Amino acid sequence: MRTDMRGKDFVTLMDYTGEEIQTILDVAFDLKRQNAMGAEHELLKNKTLGMIFAQPSTRTRVSFETGMTQLGGHAQYYSEDNMQRKNKETWDDTGLVLSRYLDALMVRLYDLEKYGMARDIMNQIRAATTIPVINGLDDKEHPCQCMGDLMTIQEKLGTGWKKKKIVMSWAYSDRVKSPGVPQAMLLACSLLGADLTLAYPKGYELDEEYMAFADSAYQKSGGKLSITNDIYEASTDADVIYAKSWGSTRGMDKAEDKEYRKQFEKDWCISDKHFSLAKPVSYYMHPLPAARGEEVTDELIDGPHSIVYDQAENRLHAQKAILALLMKKK
Ligand code: CP
């Protein structure tokens, strides 16, 4: 168990080891149990988390705010529009000043002109601040979502990461979404040595940097990565099908992407047809919000395979673990 994460940023799982990821999960389960028993766990009394949302959020905002309250601290919400960012105060000055008041800063930022621009700003904020910076979804990664997802998979399937077929799949949606979830899952699975199948139509390959990191991590962890462009092949014998839409990381602009993806609408709307190929006990995952009727059928997301609300709940417990480890008192 590797517990010394105090003061670290949580922007990319590339900065964490498999052992550290497993430690965060262990702490998350501990906090979930304490919460279930009504035990006080005010580990961050008098600490303040700032949260900048340049994009809307339901789960991330509410789970972080609630998590800080349960840990005895406080969370503050800012949108880019109600800060002096609106009058073009620089990200450097914003980050530097906020780190004089706060104990940690969460940032959500994506959907800028070009893929990668949000991560560049996230790194700029990291450099300007002296407090932990937590990525609440940028254009490359959604590491907090991923920790809640891993917790949910562990609850359902245990920690035998090498023995279960986890499928991380593209799904159709008219909306072009961030590849943050699949890229975080790729990193986490490679570090934990999980059996991961990536499924997507040609054109939705993940970022080369993430693929290279995963290849190298898999060599050390001994897990297995498979890639297919056939969603039915991917679904066969799956334990988990985690399917969501994402946009091109390799140059297609939004308008081109919206047009190109239309041909995949029928086969990549995940339904009971896909789950008829999966293992009898198998799970459907989605980070929400889901594009019902596009990414997934109502029957599937509301049916017995679906664990999407467990995922949403586990955001709270997993993020509390991240906050407790990064912000703990000396
Ligand atoms: N999954 C997720 O990040 O949800 P929100 O956009 O509602 O925060």
Side-chain angles (χ1 to χ4, degrees), residues 44 47-53 57-79 82 106 315-317 319-320 323:
L44 299 179
K47 300 259 182 188
T48 305
L49 171 74
M51 305 188 297
I52 302 179
F53 281 91
S57 165
T58 298
R59 280 142 290 269
T60 305
R61 176 183 178 178
V62 178
S63 54
F64 266 112
E65 279 195 26
T66 305
M68 279 304 289
T69 303
Q70 292 181 359
L71 290 167
H74 174 65
Q76 296 173 348
Y77 168 87
Y78 333 109
S79 82
N82 64 23
M106 192 236 76
R315 292 288 304 275
L316 170 68
H317 309 297
Q319 285 160 199
K320 280 169 71 181
L323 294 167

Side-chain angles (χ1 to χ4, degrees), residues 47-154:
K47 300 259 182 188
T48 305
L49 171 74
M51 305 188 297
I52 302 179
F53 281 91
Q55 293 290 338
S57 165
T58 298
R59 280 142 290 269
T60 305
R61 176 183 178 178
V62 178
S63 54
F64 266 112
E65 279 195 26
T66 305
M68 279 304 289
T69 303
Q70 292 181 359
L71 290 167
H74 174 65
Q76 296 173 348
Y77 168 87
Y78 333 109
S79 82
E80 220 187 329
D81 270 358
N82 64 23
M83 303 180 85
Q84 291 296 1
R85 277 284 310 151
K86 191 169 182 180
N87 294 321
K88 306 210 179 319
E89 183 166 20
T90 64
W91 280 113
D92 282 348
D93 282 350
T94 305
L96 204 149
V97 169
L98 288 180
S99 63
R100 298 285 181 107
Y101 305 128
L102 302 170
D103 299 291
L105 178 65
M106 192 236 76
V107 181
R108 165 166 288 197
L109 186 65
Y110 61 91
D111 241 358
L112 301 184
E113 222 169 287
K114 263 185 161 170
Y115 173 76
M117 276 172 80
R119 174 56 60 86
D120 290 344
I121 293 171
M122 188 78 77
N123 285 334
Q124 205 180 327
I125 296 170
R126 277 178 90 165
T129 53
T130 52
I131 52 176
V133 174
I134 299 171
N135 181 352
L137 177 56
D138 68 3
D139 53 5
K140 293 199 167 182
E141 215 171 310
H142 200 350
C144 295
Q145 176 71 49
C146 180
M147 294 311 301
D149 297 339
L150 293 173
M151 197 179 167
T152 312
I153 295 172
Q154 188 172 322

Side-chain angles (χ1 to χ4, degrees), residues 111 169-179 182 200-205 244-250 252-269 286 291 294-295:
D111 241 358
S169 175
W170 189 87
Y172 174 77
S173 165
D174 180 54
R175 189 174 145 218
V176 178
K177 300 184 183 182
S178 161
Y200 48 79
K202 283 199 172 80
Y204 294 102
E205 293 77 15
K244 77 173 295 291
S245 170
W246 68 78
S248 162
T249 66
R250 311 226 181 156
M252 241 192 295
D253 71 27
K254 243 187 185 169
E256 286 170 329
D257 191 336
K258 264 177 176 285
E259 200 50 41
Y260 175 73
R261 60 179 51 210
K262 282 183 183 158
Q263 63 189 296
F264 306 116
E265 188 171 354
K266 192 169 131 278
D267 287 328
W268 298 78
C269 173
H286 191 288
E294 293 186 344
E295 291 177 297

